[in-house]
Amino acid sequence: MKVKTTCYKINELFETIQGEGSFTGQPSIFIRLQGCPVGCSWCDTKHTWEIDPQLQVASDVMLGKTQESDYWSELSVEQILETITAEGYQAKHIVLTGGEPCMVDLKPLCEALEQAGFSCQVETSGTFEIRVSDNCWVTVSPKVNMRGGYKILTSAMSRANEIKHPVATEQHVDELKALLAEHQITATPVYLQPISQKPRATELAIKTCIENNWRLSVQVHKYLGIE
């Protein structure tokens, strides 16, 4: 009997510096998965939302992108590892992002990457069950009351190694506080991330971090002008 190969729909695969959260400054390989139904109004990767079969391309086309697009490739776990080697990437930390990566089972990919000597991190909205390896670092960026209508899962909040919340208004802060109380989160590190680096949002984030002993995440990669 033929063994089914686990494949993933990938929009981008590239090496850079992680610019957010606990791993800020860490050389990282980003694997950006295609597909997300959550519908965040301020999302900066809307080109990953739809999975259009007509936009599937060969892996070399996906890797050769020079600008954001909704083209994607389907790669097996083995092909992902081969691609990382072929590209000559040096980073040993891998970030699984999207889109919404937790729409699919990431455990086979995480385990294969870890066996190959990489550490793994997943960035998720907390609206899907998180299927990753035990050692995978989970960043939950909870998306509350978004257009897609998805609820934040208790299982996702409980699994989080860090919570990274985008903020622009006091309402966003209130939503986060209510969420932490609802899911009884007290010890998990909390990062506030100003939406679009706007001065007002940044000032609010700094003020709120100081008041609550939370941490600031400023999307360093955007200030540096890198991916």
Side-chain angles (χ1 to χ4, degrees), residues 35-60:
C36 182
V38 178
C40 305
S41 59
W42 63 78
C43 178
D44 55 7
T45 57
K46 291 182 179 180
H47 57 286
T48 67
W49 284 9
E50 301 298 328
I51 301 175
D52 185 343
Q54 295 185 359
L55 297 177
Q56 182 175 356
V57 297
S59 60
D60 60 330

Side-chain angles (χ1 to χ4, degrees), residues 73-94:
S73 299
E74 188 166 76
L75 275 67
S76 68
V77 172
E78 294 77 12
Q79 288 172 324
I80 290 171
L81 285 166
E82 290 169 359
T83 298
I84 290 171
T85 300
E87 291 295 310
Y89 294 151
Q90 299 299 305
K92 293 300 180 183
H93 183 68
I94 292 185

Side-chain angles (χ1 to χ4, degrees), residues 99-160:
E100 173 46 75
C102 289
M103 288 175 62
V104 298
D105 185 357
L106 297 169
K107 191 172 182 179
L109 178 56
C110 289
E111 290 180 342
L113 290 168
E114 288 168 356
Q115 288 171 9
F118 297 95
S119 59
C120 290
Q121 175 186 4
V122 63
E123 298 179 336
T124 175
S125 63
T127 58
F128 287 82
E129 292 293 341
I130 300 172
R131 294 170 287 173
V132 295
S133 62
D134 291 342
N135 292 325
C136 181
W137 180 275
V138 175
T139 301
V140 173
S141 184
K143 301 303 189 291
V144 183
N145 298 326
M146 294 300 158
R147 189 179 66 188
Y150 289 82
K151 300 296 183 183
I152 307 299
L153 303 181
T154 298
S155 60
M157 293 294 287
S158 299
R159 177 61 180 83

